[in-house]
Amino acid sequence: MSGKVQFRPHHFLCALGFQGKGYSHGFTANMAGIVDRLRAPGGDAVEIEVTFQADHICAPCPHRRGTSCENAGKISALDARHAAALGLHDGERLTWGAAQARIVAAVPEGALAQLCAGCQWHELGLCARALSDLHARR
Ligand code: SF4
């Protein structure tokens, strides 16, 4: 995929921590393609548009229901917490570089336990490690 990427609020941190885990082969392959773009040289310049509906990561998810999700309550709560923490608004556009700067400024190490409560991937520790690495780099 080229051009602008759409992310719902909690997917900024998910993209930071992604290490190949997902809900299905199709979901994981699609997310890997998006994350590879962000992590490639020049990836910090990729433009991301914020949406509060199903986004480009959700597109092939087996739990997606149209523009919503079969776990809409849990996912909306995740989005609300991440949007508040990162100051994200519907339709806002920012680069991946700006998003990472915002994460560093607004999400201290150890914050994911509260921010990501209910996410099945949290206990793996991969996202916390990625957050820690980002803080160390910046
Ligand atoms: S713990 Fe879950 S919601 Fe939080 S960044 Fe990781 S994958 Fe995303």
Side-chain angles (χ1 to χ4, degrees), residues 2 9 99 105 131-132:
S2 61
L131 178 63
S132 178

Side-chain angles (χ1 to χ4, degrees), residues 10 13-14 78 82 112 116 119-122 127:
H10 79 272
L13 273 151
C14 302
L78 270 177
H82 283 245
L112 298 191
C116 304
C119 174
Q120 69 189 89
W121 313 114
H122 177 255
C127 301

Side-chain angles (χ1 to χ4, degrees), residues 68-77:
S68 187
C69 173
E70 67 182 17
N71 300 315
K74 184 175 93 173
I75 297 303
S76 295

Side-chain angles (χ1 to χ4, degrees), residues 23-24 27 58 60-66 68-72 120:
Y23 300 108
S24 67
F27 177 95
C58 300
C61 183
H63 304 294
R64 184 175 60 79
R65 297 291 179 269
S68 187
C69 173
E70 67 182 17
N71 300 315
Q120 69 189 89

Side-chain angles (χ1 to χ4, degrees), residues 38-137:
L38 302 179
R39 295 178 185 172
D44 281 2
V46 172
E47 191 177 30
I48 302 171
E49 182 179 78
V50 178
T51 178
F52 280 71
Q53 297 186 327
D55 64 5
H56 286 158
I57 288 177
C58 300
C61 183
H63 304 294
R64 184 175 60 79
R65 297 291 179 269
T67 58
S68 187
C69 173
E70 67 182 17
N71 300 315
K74 184 175 93 173
I75 297 303
S76 295
L78 270 177
D79 278 340
R81 287 196 299 271
H82 283 245
L86 295 173
L88 297 169
H89 304 285
D90 196 21
E92 180 178 358
R93 294 181 182 194
L94 68 170
T95 64
W96 176 235
Q100 289 172 94
R102 222 183 272 200
I103 290 170
V104 168
V107 186
E109 292 184 47
L112 298 191
Q114 186 271 333
L115 213 47
C116 304
C119 174
Q120 69 189 89
W121 313 114
H122 177 255
E123 64 188 26
L124 299 179
L126 299 170
C127 301
R129 196 171 315 143
L131 178 63
S132 178
D133 289 347
L134 180 66
H135 275 283
R137 282 200 304 275

